[in-house]
Amino acid sequence: MQTYHEFLKEVLIPEAKLKDKVAELGEAISQDYKGENIHLICILKGGVMFLTDLMREITVPHTIDFMAISSYGVGTRQSSGQVRLTMDLHEDIRERNVLLVEDIVDSGNTLSSVLELLATRKPASLKVCTLLDKEERREVDVPLDYVGFKIPNKFVFGYGLDLDEFYRELPFIGVVNEERYTPPK
Ligand code: IMP
Ligand code: MG
């Protein structure tokens, strides 16, 4: 396996900055949900590292669950507005305070479909926390309650986000070198 270095143009968000931001988000969430329980839902797989770090910064009681969806297929980052559920949640969310934890909001299509689906299950509340917001590419307006970083329109990887399934383990967010890797459309 090749090392990530050749695909890395620059580090966009270093590890220490991610750590500080996750702590800040955890504190804000803990304040807002004081006296309540939260049910954190992570969309596999990109949000996993963010979820597990965020959990350690949330001081109110919380539970977790996972769902998986697919857009067009492997190697795409766009969705048609319709996403396919490939793995559903394991628990009912009715009457629970659901907080959706996402790695990145790009066009907004994924999030918009997931929110629509989850709303039909009548949670007590439904909010969104995303680590990254690529505002410039937004096609659908989606409400974001907690945002870590607004980032420019560049393809990024690391800290849960992949390059063809690899490099999710990197502790920072890096910008891809497009001379060595062509991002999906
Ligand atoms: P959407 O366009 O908001 O529906 O985002 C679809 C999905 O594309 C995200 O959940 C990510 O998995 C993926 N994605 C979007 N931008 C990037 C990126 O810069 N790096 C890695 N994955 C991305
Ligand atoms: Mg994702």
Side-chain angles (χ1 to χ4, degrees), residues 104-157:
I104 187 166
V105 180
D106 194 38
S107 70
N109 284 317
T110 306
L111 189 60
S112 151
S113 316
V114 169
L115 284 174
E116 205 173 294
L117 170 73
L118 295 182
T120 65
R121 300 180 183 183
K122 309 277 182 247
S125 65
L126 181 56
K127 288 189 175 186
V128 179
C129 175
T130 184
L131 178 66
L132 307 175
D133 177 9
K134 219 189 264 182
E135 254 181 339
E136 223 180 287
R137 282 178 49 97
R138 201 63 35 86
E139 290 168 12
V140 200
D141 203 24
V142 278
L144 303 178
D145 301 280
Y146 305 95
V147 176
F149 301 92
K150 290 187 190 250
I151 64 163
N153 183 12
K154 293 176 177 172
F155 199 76
V156 294
F157 68 110

Side-chain angles (χ1 to χ4, degrees), residues 14-185:
E15 186 173 3
K17 269 202 172 177
L18 285 170
K19 198 170 188 301
D20 288 352
K21 184 61 77 178
V22 172
E24 196 182 298
L25 289 170
E27 200 182 320
I29 291 166
S30 303
Q31 278 294 327
D32 294 352
Y33 288 88
K34 212 172 195 163
E36 309 201 57
N37 290 357
I38 317 175
H39 191 52
L40 302 169
I41 290 179
C42 175
I43 302 173
L44 295 173
K45 303 167 194 168
V48 166
M49 199 174 286
F50 178 42
L51 172 81
T52 54
D53 282 346
L54 186 64
M55 287 174 72
R56 285 175 271 206
E57 303 291 345
I58 295 179
T59 54
V60 300
H62 55 277
T63 48
I64 59 171
D65 204 352
F66 300 88
M67 64 194 292
I69 51 171
S70 77
S71 306
Y72 296 150
V74 181
T76 63
R77 58 168 160 159
Q78 288 184 333
S79 38
S80 51
Q82 273 294 317
V83 291
R84 195 165 60 88
L85 202 61
T86 56
M87 187 191 88
D88 203 346
L89 298 169
H90 291 77
E91 288 169 46
D92 201 352
I93 59 168
R94 181 175 287 266
E95 299 301 320
R96 301 173 85 161
N97 293 311
V98 170
L99 180 59
L100 203 58
V101 177
E102 260 282 41
D103 50 354
I104 187 166
V105 180
D106 194 38
S107 70
N109 284 317
T110 306
L111 189 60
S112 151
S113 316
V114 169
L115 284 174
E116 205 173 294
L117 170 73
L118 295 182
T120 65
R121 300 180 183 183
K122 309 277 182 247
S125 65
L126 181 56
K127 288 189 175 186
V128 179
C129 175
T130 184
L131 178 66
L132 307 175
D133 177 9
K134 219 189 264 182
E135 254 181 339
E136 223 180 287
R137 282 178 49 97
R138 201 63 35 86
E139 290 168 12
V140 200
D141 203 24
V142 278
L144 303 178
D145 301 280
Y146 305 95
V147 176
F149 301 92
K150 290 187 190 250
I151 64 163
N153 183 12
K154 293 176 177 172
F155 199 76
V156 294
F157 68 110
Y159 199 71
L161 294 133
D162 68 304
L163 287 186
D164 293 339
E165 291 297 323
F166 287 96
Y167 309 127
R168 296 186 192 274
E169 75 281 10
L170 297 177
F172 55 82
I173 301 277
V175 176
V176 81
N177 175 2
E178 298 204 16
E179 281 165 22
R180 304 309 294 268
Y181 177 92
T182 309
K185 283 278 144 47

